Amino acid sequence: MEAPAAPHNPAETELIINSPEQMRELGRRLAKLLRAGDLVMLSGELGAGKTTLARGLGEGLGVRGAVTSPTFVIARVHPSLGDGPPLVHVDAYRLGGGLDEMEDLDLDVSLPESVVVVEWGEGKVEELTDERLQVQIHRAVGDTTDEVRHVTVTGLGERWASADLSVLAA
């Protein structure tokens, strides 16, 4: 991982990721900052690396089960193998509506005791909490084998106001 660009505020950092393994490592580092009650929204084009990042989060949190894309089951719960919080991994790609459609998943019930990671959650889960991490992953699109990803991690709300997300580049 290359050094981050100068953050706009302490709760935002930009990273350049050069491989899927670096994306997983970013997830492992990010997991060290997370605790029960945290919501993480992952955004990016198809194939950007959202699930790879979530896999690293699962490894860093020490949860049971392989973290894979929950596209067809919508959500998977990965219990902790230790004393940490479980990981709830949601793929909202196939869900068209906002929070109303997400209510059947009971994310509002899971959130206080879990780390909830939502792929494709824009316009669907923001109402769960004002305090969340937004991870935007940009990649080259079209006919390319370019592995480079530009990642922006932004912390919103009081929980993240004083967070120094530049530690993610360490």
Side-chain angles (χ1 to χ4, degrees), residues 45-98:
E45 299 88 5
L46 283 169
K50 297 178 295 295
T51 301
T52 301
L53 179 65
R55 189 170 296 122
L57 281 169
E59 292 168 3
L61 289 170
V63 299
R64 185 177 67 209
V67 176
T68 59
S69 178
T71 299
F72 297 104
V73 295
I74 309 300
R76 284 195 174 97
V77 177
H78 297 273
S80 176
L81 292 171
D83 59 357
L87 172 67
V88 177
H89 183 204
V90 179
D91 187 329
Y93 183 73
R94 298 193 185 286
L95 302 177

Side-chain angles (χ1 to χ4, degrees), residues 3 15 24 26 42 45 55 61 66 75 83 95 110 121 128-129 133 136 150 153 165:
L15 305 156
R24 280 176 78 163
L26 174 59
L42 305 180
E45 299 88 5
R55 189 170 296 122
L61 289 170
D83 59 357
L95 302 177
S110 300
L128 285 173
T129 179
L133 275 180
Q136 181 68 46
H150 296 268
V153 181
L165 298 177

Side-chain angles (χ1 to χ4, degrees), residues 5-145:
H8 302 19
N9 62 58
E12 181 173 290
T13 194
E14 295 180 16
L15 305 156
I16 297 175
I17 304 296
N18 294 301
S19 69
E21 181 48 44
Q22 283 187 358
M23 188 65 79
R24 280 176 78 163
E25 178 59 28
L26 174 59
R28 290 188 287 268
R29 287 186 180 149
L30 183 57
K32 293 176 184 176
L33 301 177
L34 299 175
R35 62 183 186 216
D38 285 340
L39 172 65
V40 181
M41 289 176 48
L42 305 180
S43 304
E45 299 88 5
L46 283 169
K50 297 178 295 295
T51 301
T52 301
L53 179 65
R55 189 170 296 122
L57 281 169
E59 292 168 3
L61 289 170
V63 299
R64 185 177 67 209
V67 176
T68 59
S69 178
T71 299
F72 297 104
V73 295
I74 309 300
R76 284 195 174 97
V77 177
H78 297 273
S80 176
L81 292 171
D83 59 357
L87 172 67
V88 177
H89 183 204
V90 179
D91 187 329
Y93 183 73
R94 298 193 185 286
L95 302 177
L99 190 59
D100 292 340
E101 191 170 341
M102 299 289 285
E103 281 183 357
D104 289 341
L105 299 177
D106 288 331
L107 294 181
D108 54 337
V109 173
S110 300
L111 186 58
E113 69 269 356
S114 306
V115 170
V116 176
V117 176
V118 181
E119 297 184 33
W120 304 99
E122 304 83 6
K124 299 172 184 167
V125 297
E126 290 90 340
E127 294 175 33
L128 285 173
T129 179
D130 291 332
E131 299 182 337
R132 63 186 175 276
L133 275 180
Q134 292 186 176
V135 180
Q136 181 68 46
I137 306 170
H138 294 283
R139 69 171 185 91
V141 294
D143 187 17
T144 180
T145 58

